[in-house]
Amino acid sequence: TNIRNLIRENKLHQVYGMMQVGQDRTGMITMNQSLLKLIMKRKIDLRAAFEVSPDPEELDKLLKQAGI
């Protein structure tokens, strides 16, 4: 897969971007995408999500795109 190639070629900085856009093919999702799903299912609240998010700005962007 493309992820394997990125790892093999030591392009680890590109793996996150591939995870963001390639989840239909790879089944991988980012932490923020997972947090968004949990928020939408009302399993966690916004404050808890932002406390554990590795990138709160990206999480905020995902929430806005989802209309939250």
Side-chain angles (χ1 to χ4, degrees):
T1 67
N2 290 333
I3 297 292
R4 277 190 206 145
N5 292 336
L6 292 176
I7 293 170
R8 188 175 18 249
E9 296 168 9
N10 200 27
K11 296 180 180 177
L12 301 179
H13 61 282
Q14 295 179 13
V15 171
Y16 190 79
M18 289 292 288
M19 288 175 64
Q20 289 174 305
V21 297
Q23 58 187 287
D24 292 336
R25 289 189 320 269
T26 65
M28 293 187 291
I29 64 171
T30 67
M31 176 73 164
N32 279 335
Q33 290 168 332
S34 182
L35 290 171
L36 175 62
K37 287 182 180 186
L38 291 171
I39 291 166
M40 293 176 77
K41 292 179 181 179
R42 300 190 187 279
K43 300 284 185 182
I44 62 171
D45 64 16
L46 289 173
R47 185 172 24 145
F50 278 99
E51 286 175 3
V52 298
S53 172
D55 186 347
E57 289 180 21
E58 180 196 32
L59 178 59
D60 188 50
K61 180 181 171 187
L62 290 173
L63 290 166
K64 287 177 181 172
Q65 288 174 347
I68 299 174

